[in-house]
Amino acid sequence: MDRSTGRSASSGDGGPELVRRAGSLVGWAARTGASFGRRLPGAEVAERGLRSLERVALTELRRRLDDVDDPYHAALTQASAMTQHTDNGRAQDPLPVRATTTVVPTALGQVEPLRAAMGELLNQSIGFGKERAREYLYAVILRQLTPDEARILSALSDGEPFPALDVVERTGLGGAGRVVLRNASTVGKSAGVSLLDHVPSYLTRLIGLGLVDLGEEAPALDTQYEILMTDETVRAAEDSVKRARFVRRTVHISRLGNHFWRACDPSGAAFR
């Protein structure tokens, strides 16, 4: 045990397994219910152990996220070390970033952070295997999600589609004009998000991250479409134009979103 970090020497290799075990236990606790667990002999000890494991798992997850370096921050740090001057003020030869990609200083002997950051990413890619590259990608995505967006992704994780709606201004000739509201959906209410009026923005972000896809209208969801058209955000968008047209779609988890959720699912369902 490393007393300075509170982790065993092998924790770096066992991180995913530790998180998986904690997730499985958390999922079990949620399914069986805490009230039932407390009636079992030694339940208090078991509950304390579960909470302790959860804390260790969260600490491990935080550490693994922190291991995903921000290349721009790393570039800024390396830039100060790379930019060296001789006594007469002229820049010396540039030092390579991790001895792979050479970042050339400017005329003033300063390294441009954006170029150095790209060099950092290129250098990191050389030593990445398939699994490490996937973990890096998922960690970067995870850092960008809000709690509400995580709820939406959880609601979509079973693969079932939800209705989605665009409100479009109708032109004088009956055609479609500008879109006044994009990606309204009932999935936010089903997911229990805190900011229901931000669901269109949440879905737009999730689509941009490649975690969610839009599909064609589903006639089987007619009732849900009707309910969606009474949503306050949709009604406000409709009232903002003289004539509105509704474009019906569906929203569902994407292939990337499915793989991402299976890797990050806190219940550990993918491992059972």
Side-chain angles (χ1 to χ4, degrees):
M1 174 71 70
D2 186 342
R3 297 182 182 275
S4 63
T5 61
R7 298 192 304 269
S8 65
S10 62
S11 64
D13 295 333
E17 174 65 17
L18 185 62
V19 175
R20 181 191 71 76
R21 288 169 53 206
S24 297
L25 286 172
V26 173
W28 173 85
R31 291 191 302 276
T32 57
S35 59
F36 171 76
R38 291 193 182 95
R39 294 197 297 269
L40 298 176
E44 291 184 2
V45 176
E47 187 174 2
R48 286 198 299 270
L50 175 60
R51 290 177 179 174
S52 176
L53 185 56
E54 286 183 64
R55 286 194 294 271
V56 173
L58 290 174
T59 300
E60 175 65 20
L61 177 59
R62 187 178 299 111
R63 182 187 70 80
R64 294 177 74 82
L65 285 176
D66 288 341
D67 284 345
V68 180
D69 299 327
D70 180 343
Y72 188 77
H73 175 73
L76 288 176
T77 302
Q78 292 190 14
S80 61
M82 291 171 60
T83 304
Q84 299 181 2
H85 297 272
T86 61
D87 292 338
N88 59 11
R90 291 180 302 174
Q92 295 179 346
D93 292 336
L95 297 176
V97 179
R98 293 193 181 179
T100 312
T101 300
T102 299
V103 180
V104 181
T106 64
L108 298 177
Q110 298 177 342
V111 174
E112 296 180 5
L114 291 176
R115 299 184 189 279
M118 179 58 73
E120 175 73 9
L121 282 176
L122 291 172
N123 290 335
Q124 287 182 356
S125 70
I126 294 175
F128 272 18
K130 185 176 181 180
E131 293 303 319
R132 177 61 177 143
R134 181 183 293 110
E135 184 180 53
Y136 191 107
L137 170 63
Y138 291 171
V140 169
I141 292 174
L142 190 59
R143 277 184 160 177
Q144 298 180 66
L145 295 182
T146 68
D148 275 352
E149 289 166 346
R151 280 184 170 274
I152 290 175
L153 198 62
S154 176
L156 293 171
S157 63
D158 62 0
E160 291 298 318
F162 279 80
L165 200 69
D166 290 352
V167 181
V168 181
E169 183 179 23
R170 191 187 298 273
T171 65
L173 298 178
R178 64 188 179 93
V179 178
V180 294
L181 179 65
R182 194 184 303 274
N183 301 327
S185 177
T186 59
V187 68
K189 185 171 293 185
S190 296
V193 303
S194 299
L195 302 176
L196 282 172
D197 57 330
H198 282 59
V199 170
S201 297
Y202 289 150
L203 281 178
T204 300
R205 277 173 40 84
L206 289 170
I207 292 168
L209 289 171
L211 302 176
V212 169
D213 283 338
L214 292 173
E216 298 296 325
E217 175 185 356
L221 300 177
D222 277 345
T223 301
Q224 293 192 47
Y225 283 116
E226 295 299 325
I227 294 173
L228 180 56
M229 291 177 65
T230 66
D231 180 84
E232 291 183 4
T233 304
V234 174
R235 295 292 298 273
E238 181 184 8
D239 293 341
S240 69
V241 295
K242 291 183 177 180
R243 291 187 298 173
R245 184 167 71 89
F246 300 98
V247 180
R248 294 183 175 187
R249 294 192 178 93
T250 52
V251 61
H252 58 89
I253 195 166
S254 68
R255 183 172 181 272
L256 171 62
N258 183 55
H259 290 316
F260 172 78
W261 181 257
R262 291 178 62 189
C264 302
D265 183 356
S267 72
F271 297 93
R272 291 196 299 271

